[in-house]
């Protein structure tokens, strides 16, 4: 053959292109390159989830929801991980798939990326960030304003010095969460210190939070009675630092997190946090819009988010919380023990 491969290899390569939707087989049996401006309903739509290339409970949450929803729409989902704004996989994937759910990296976006991104002729939904100002449909599960719900909870327990702790790389969502803490504190006349030491992207935040809080304990500059952490892993590192220095999280200092992540319920003590709602209804709206073809039209606000989210009150703010609100795993273990002879 002209390309120097066997007939069997060529057939396998063609089949891969068919499976991925880049080629279609016509009624007469011939192959054709798939049209770039429409979704061919004879081929399963190919949807991408573009996510930063590091472990994240947020990525997992969206990924699970998308996998379930795509199966209902007979669409194929592929997760593509990328490392930075200029990663070649990023723009290539955005242009290649029938639609994409895009999770931006927590770094400042270069101007050249935005201009290229906005020129892509594909339906794209941004997850976890608000890009509505660019005319891009966006979805997030925990609006920044609900940070004040955490602060109200701490104030109701009598705390009058509430710090905010962050070591996450700074981006628009972390900045907005910190701003909500500032606004609430000023409006209520509550004392508090912003402990903000962002690490570079792709740096472990648990160990960074541990180091920051440990240093402040040794220096005698950790004077709060409660703290709001911008993310679950930040809270985990902070609580471990306290425990290693003889401070009891939940007893001596109350700790809570803006997002629940996946481990807060099972930490010791269990972590008080805001709980993101089920992501499935949100991505269903986005996917239905993507598959509407050339006549697709986004209806309603470009930013889709809940008006409120639930607050899971756990031992890190209420040490003697009723056992019925303890982690489900503990209850299940107790039930099994009671059933044994």
């Amino acid at each position: 053959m002209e390309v120097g491969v066997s007939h069997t290899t060529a057939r396998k390569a063609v089949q891969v292109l068919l499976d991925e939707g880049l080629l279609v087989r016509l009624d007469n049996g011939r192959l054709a390159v798939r049209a770039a401006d429409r979704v061919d309903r004879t081929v399963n739509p190919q949807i991408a989830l573009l996510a930063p290339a590091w472990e994240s409970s947020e990525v997992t949450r969206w990924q699970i929801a998308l996998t379930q929803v795509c199966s209902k729409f007979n669409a194929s989902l592929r997760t593509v991980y990328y490392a930075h704004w200029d990663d070649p996989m990023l723009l290539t994937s955005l242009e290649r798939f029938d639609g994409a759910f895009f999770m931006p990296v927590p770094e400042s976006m270069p101007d050249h990326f935005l201009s290229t991104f906005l020129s892509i002729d594909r339906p794209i939904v941004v997850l976890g960030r608000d890009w509505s100002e660019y005319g891009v449909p966006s979805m997030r599960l925990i609006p920044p304003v609900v940070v004040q719900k955490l602060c109200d909870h701490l104030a109701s327990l009598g705390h009058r010095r509430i710090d905010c702790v962050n070591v996450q790389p700074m981006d628009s969502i972390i900045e907005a969460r910190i701003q909500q803490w500032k606004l609430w504190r000023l409006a209520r006349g509550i004392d508090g210190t912003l402990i903000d030491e962002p690490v570079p992207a792709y740096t472990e935040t648990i160990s960074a939070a541990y180091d920051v809080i440990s240093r402040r304990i040794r220096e005698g500059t950790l004077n709060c009675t409660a703290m709001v952490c911008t993310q679950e892993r930040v809270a985990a590192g902070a609580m471990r630092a306290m425990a290693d220095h003889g401070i009891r999280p939940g007893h001596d200092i109350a700790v809570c997190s803006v997002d629940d992540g996946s481990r807060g319920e099972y930490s010791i003590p269990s972590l008080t946090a805001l709980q993101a709602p089920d992501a499935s209804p949100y991505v269903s709206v986005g996917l239905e819009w993507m598959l509407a073809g050339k006549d697709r039209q986004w209806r309603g606000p470009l930013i889709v988010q809940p008006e409120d989210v639930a607050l899971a009150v756990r031992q890190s703010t209420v040490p003697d919380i009723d056992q019925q609100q303890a982690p489900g795993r503990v209850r299940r273990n107790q039930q099994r023990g009671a059933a044994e002879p």
Side-chain angles (χ1 to χ4, degrees):
M1 295 180 65
E2 292 183 7
V3 294
V5 298
S6 69
H7 182 69
T8 300
T9 300
R11 287 185 61 186
K12 289 181 178 179
V14 169
Q15 187 59 52
V16 169
L17 294 175
L18 285 168
D19 293 341
E20 294 188 356
L22 299 177
L23 294 179
V24 294
R25 192 174 295 280
L26 304 178
D27 294 339
N28 60 9
R30 297 184 63 183
L31 296 173
V33 177
R34 185 180 182 189
D37 61 347
R38 65 185 176 87
V39 174
D40 189 336
R41 294 297 180 175
T42 64
V43 179
N44 286 348
Q46 306 291 306
I47 304 299
L49 170 60
L50 300 170
W54 63 75
E55 180 186 1
S56 167
S57 58
E58 184 182 13
V59 172
T60 302
R61 182 183 293 120
W62 290 111
Q63 189 176 42
I64 291 173
L66 276 167
T67 300
Q68 295 171 345
V69 171
C70 281
S71 65
K72 296 178 182 179
F73 282 83
N74 294 320
S76 299
L77 177 70
R78 181 174 177 182
T79 302
V80 179
Y81 296 102
Y82 70 99
H84 51 78
W85 293 109
D86 293 319
D87 191 322
M89 287 296 297
L90 182 51
L91 291 176
T92 299
S93 299
L94 288 171
E95 295 172 342
R96 172 183 174 185
F97 288 84
D98 298 309
F101 291 88
F102 173 45
M103 302 183 67
V105 291
E107 299 173 348
S108 298
M109 177 175 54
D111 293 338
H112 70 267
F113 176 85
L114 180 60
S115 60
T116 304
F117 176 87
L118 295 178
S119 69
I120 295 174
D121 185 23
R122 284 289 190 276
I124 302 172
V125 173
V126 167
L127 300 179
R129 303 292 184 272
D130 181 4
W131 282 27
S132 59
E133 62 180 298
Y134 307 125
V136 181
S138 306
M139 299 177 175
R140 57 187 180 190
L141 300 178
I142 301 182
V145 69
V146 296
V147 169
Q148 297 197 24
K149 192 170 187 174
L150 283 176
C151 299
D152 286 339
H153 166 65
L154 294 173
S156 71
L157 298 175
H159 295 287
R160 293 297 178 266
R161 183 171 181 82
I162 303 172
D163 287 357
C164 180
V165 181
N166 176 63
V167 298
Q168 288 286 114
M170 188 58 65
D171 63 5
S172 60
I173 192 66
I174 296 297
E175 185 177 6
R177 290 176 177 181
I178 293 174
Q179 185 65 21
Q180 288 298 320
W181 167 81
K182 288 180 177 179
L183 290 172
W184 178 90
R185 188 178 62 80
L186 292 172
R188 296 290 296 269
I190 300 293
D191 289 333
T193 298
L194 173 60
I195 303 173
D196 184 26
E197 300 188 26
V199 299
Y202 304 103
T203 302
E204 178 54 68
T205 50
I206 291 182
S207 57
Y210 178 92
D211 292 341
V212 167
I213 298 303
S214 293
R215 186 182 71 248
R216 287 182 172 264
I217 293 173
R218 292 193 300 268
E219 294 172 349
T221 58
L222 188 67
N223 301 315
C224 63
T225 63
M227 65 172 59
V228 174
C229 298
T230 56
Q231 198 256 1
E232 178 204 46
R233 297 172 75 84
V234 177
M239 290 197 297
R240 181 54 190 258
M242 292 178 197
D244 285 355
H245 290 82
I247 298 174
R248 299 172 300 169
H251 291 268
D252 302 321
I253 298 179
V255 181
C256 58
S257 168
V258 176
D259 68 85
D260 186 52
S262 58
R263 305 175 183 86
E265 184 181 7
Y266 301 99
S267 64
I268 300 177
S270 56
L271 178 64
T272 292
L274 295 167
Q275 292 189 300
D278 180 12
S280 297
Y282 295 85
V283 296
S284 292
V285 171
L287 188 58
E288 187 172 0
W289 169 71
M290 289 179 184
L291 302 182
K294 294 175 63 176
D295 298 327
R296 73 176 62 90
Q297 183 177 0
W298 187 267
R299 301 185 184 279
L302 284 173
I303 177 63
V304 181
Q305 59 188 8
E307 293 183 359
D308 192 16
V309 298
L311 173 62
V313 177
R314 301 189 180 112
Q315 295 163 339
S316 66
T317 59
V318 184
D320 56 349
I321 191 169
D322 184 82
Q323 188 61 42
Q324 291 301 315
Q325 299 182 47
R329 182 182 59 176
V330 174
R331 294 197 299 271
R332 288 192 296 271
N333 288 344
Q334 290 177 337
Q335 290 167 357
R336 283 199 297 268
E340 293 177 356

